[in-house]
Amino acid sequence: MILSVTLSKPVKNISELLGENYVRVKIKRNVSSSAKREEAYFAEFFTEKQVFHKKFSEESLGEFLGRNAGISFKVCVERTEDSEIQILANKKGKISWIEKKLDKTLPESEKISGFKNIKPSGNLNGGVGDSNRTKNHILPDGIPVPFLVRLGIQTAEGKVIASKYDKFRQINRFLEFVDDILPDVMRIRSERGDDSPIRVVDFGSGKSYLTFAVQYFLTEVRKVACEVFGLDLKRDVIEYCSKLSSELGLKNLNFAVGNISDYSGGKSPDIVVTLHACDTATDYALDYAVKNNVSAILSVPCCQHEINSQLSKSSAPKDSPFEPFLRYGLIKERFAALATDAIRAELLEKSGYKVQILEFIDSENTPKNLLIRAVKSGNRECPLGFESLVSALSLEQTLRKLMGGVRIEN
């Protein structure tokens, strides 16, 4: 039974669909014992200046959600007695369902226990509280995947281990991004007349969950010939991953010990991947990708300390347009991190890439949840180069150069 619903992020033509420019809708179950059947739910429809009220029966609410969840509003959150269901629509109109299961044995503050991607089985108008939905993972729970079993994420029977469910979701989420960029990569390769295996480099591969996942996805799911390579500084980790790759018979997956900053490699890759490459390691990876004309980049930055440390060395001048952001430590740290990623995105744009900054996974799982997705769209050269971020160039100098020397006035 649905207890409450919140719809937000309306589409541009919301007034044509619902008669008003609603910005959000809040619906709650009527707990009054005297409530009539047609008054089971009470709804508030918000515009920028007004609030309109409406009542729903269970049936009419189901019909309303079927017509509008993920369609008129890009975000819909349903809360029931034992779960929270998010219905999300991307820019292309693709609708995804994410369920957060509640554990009733835990205190209220600790109830959320896990996440599951789900999709409706049939029409969205199936009614309120319809729980007959199936999982929609690229790598599904319940089917054993060799590398997931060996890395301790699945049991031998294919069941995801409870403590590893967040990692399982993270892997699947990343593969969705790989799947999104794959058509562009194939198109670019076709234009270049390249029919060799797709080459993927994972910089800072660590325990290589994603490295193994990308190899499996391309080889076993998409049936695409590929060569995947992982690079990391930790010799013991690389030796373990190399041994595991050999034991699994993965001839197109290799690892090496090395530093991203001086990596040269062989033939240029088609895709560069970084997951939480710390601080300037991300910039070295992006710099390598740009200089090697890589078709696509998927990067989840981490620990953006470089600009923050520059700001710590000397206070900003009083007339600096950024001075208000630097007065408080927490705001300065967050501002430096966001500015770093904004500069990275801008440099990639100026290097001929189409760039998007996307949410990787829910921020409640990790604050490191921004993903930079860049796909090659031209052959321009970066005017500053990513050495800007790994040198002594100050934040203000960099931003001013990117803005063409334009000063922000009060």
Side-chain angles (χ1 to χ4, degrees):
M1 176 188 296
I2 286 182
L3 300 180
S4 67
V5 184
T6 301
L7 298 101
S8 58
K9 293 190 176 180
V11 296
K12 291 182 179 179
N13 62 333
I14 186 68
S15 61
E16 298 175 12
L17 297 173
L18 294 179
E20 293 284 350
N21 284 315
Y22 296 121
V23 294
R24 67 184 180 279
V25 178
K26 292 185 177 181
I27 304 170
K28 292 185 178 181
R29 185 164 184 83
N30 193 340
V31 296
S32 172
S33 58
S34 60
K36 299 179 181 178
R37 182 171 176 274
E38 61 271 18
E39 300 175 347
Y41 292 91
F42 176 77
E44 295 176 294
F45 289 72
F46 295 85
T47 66
E48 291 290 349
K49 297 181 179 180
Q50 293 179 290
V51 181
F52 299 88
H53 300 128
K54 186 175 181 179
K55 294 176 181 178
F56 289 104
S57 65
E58 289 195 5
E59 293 79 8
S60 60
L61 177 59
E63 294 173 359
F64 174 79
L65 295 178
R67 291 193 304 269
N68 296 284
I71 301 171
S72 303
F73 294 88
K74 295 179 182 179
V75 177
C76 173
V77 180
E78 299 179 11
R79 294 178 179 85
T80 70
E81 295 170 317
D82 60 0
S83 65
E84 177 181 288
I85 300 168
Q86 297 182 24
I87 305 170
L88 310 171
N90 63 17
K91 291 182 179 180
K92 296 180 180 179
K94 179 182 177 182
I95 299 176
S96 60
W97 299 60
I98 302 175
E99 182 178 24
K100 299 179 182 179
K101 212 66 179 174
L102 304 180
D103 186 344
K104 295 183 179 180
T105 64
L106 296 177
E108 190 69 28
S109 62
E110 302 177 10
K111 275 190 175 181
I112 294 179
S113 61
F115 298 74
K116 298 179 181 179
N117 282 342
I118 56 177
K119 63 180 180 180
S121 57
N123 196 298
L124 288 178
N125 296 332
V128 178
D130 181 11
S131 60
N132 185 24
R133 293 161 176 152
T134 58
K135 301 170 187 176
N136 193 27
H137 292 308
I138 288 179
L139 304 181
D141 188 356
I143 299 177
V145 177
F147 83 89
L148 291 178
V149 174
R150 292 295 301 275
L151 291 173
I153 294 177
Q154 284 183 327
T155 65
E157 294 74 31
K159 182 66 178 176
V160 176
I161 296 170
S163 62
K164 296 292 185 179
Y165 206 91
D166 283 348
K167 178 62 68 176
F168 178 71
R169 288 184 61 253
Q170 184 188 76
I171 291 170
N172 272 286
R173 178 62 172 155
F174 198 85
L175 292 181
E176 290 176 10
F177 287 114
V178 175
D179 201 26
D180 285 343
I181 65 171
L182 194 55
D184 288 307
V185 172
M186 299 296 283
R187 173 184 54 78
I188 294 170
R189 285 168 53 83
S190 176
E191 292 172 354
R192 294 174 179 171
D194 188 350
D195 58 359
S196 63
I198 287 180
R199 296 169 297 281
V200 182
V201 173
D202 184 357
F203 284 121
S205 55
K207 294 182 179 178
S208 301
Y209 294 102
L210 293 185
T211 329
F212 280 96
V214 171
Q215 184 278 338
Y216 182 88
F217 171 70
L218 293 175
T219 304
E220 303 297 335
V221 179
R222 287 290 174 251
K223 307 297 182 183
V224 173
C226 66
E227 296 173 354
V228 182
F229 176 75
L231 183 78
D232 199 273
L233 285 169
K234 298 178 181 177
R235 183 170 298 276
D236 58 336
V237 172
I238 290 299
E239 289 176 350
Y240 173 78
C241 293
S242 296
K243 181 181 177 183
L244 177 56
S245 177
S246 178
E247 291 174 351
L248 293 173
L250 308 179
K251 299 186 183 299
N252 59 347
L253 175 59
N254 295 283
F255 298 89
V257 178
N259 196 324
I260 302 171
S261 63
D262 54 24
Y263 175 77
S264 57
K267 194 173 182 181
S268 296
D270 297 288
I271 302 172
V272 161
V273 168
T274 73
L275 177 65
H276 299 158
C278 192
D279 200 15
T280 55
T282 293
D283 301 300
Y284 285 119
L286 297 179
D287 190 48
Y288 171 87
V290 168
K291 289 176 178 176
N292 285 272
N293 206 33
V294 168
S295 299
I297 304 165
L298 294 174
S299 177
V300 182
C302 175
C303 308
Q304 299 95 326
H305 295 315
E306 178 67 18
I307 285 179
N308 193 36
S309 65
Q310 292 174 25
L311 296 174
S312 300
K313 292 176 183 176
S314 60
S315 59
K318 290 295 183 182
D319 63 345
S320 168
F322 309 108
E323 192 272 337
F325 296 97
L326 312 180
R327 294 176 186 170
Y328 310 99
L330 183 59
I331 292 177
K332 177 169 72 71
E333 179 182 351
R334 293 181 181 178
F335 169 66
L338 290 172
T340 302
D341 290 335
I343 292 170
R344 286 166 173 160
E346 183 71 9
L347 291 175
L348 286 169
E349 286 275 5
K350 290 180 179 296
S351 301
Y353 286 85
K354 180 180 179 182
V355 182
Q356 292 175 292
I357 302 293
L358 304 167
E359 184 180 64
F360 177 33
I361 51 176
D362 296 332
S363 57
E364 60 191 67
N365 290 85
T366 173
K368 306 165 187 175
N369 70 328
L370 292 184
L371 179 139
I372 300 173
R373 180 169 70 187
V375 176
K376 193 71 176 174
S377 60
N379 294 309
R380 290 170 290 174
E381 292 185 1
C382 184
L384 295 178
F386 282 87
E387 61 270 18
S388 305
L389 288 173
V390 295
S391 70
L393 187 63
S394 73
L395 168 64
E396 188 166 349
Q397 285 177 305
T398 304
L399 289 177
R400 287 193 187 283
K401 284 189 177 182
L402 289 174
M403 293 185 292
V406 176
R407 180 180 180 82
I408 300 177
E409 302 290 352
N410 292 331

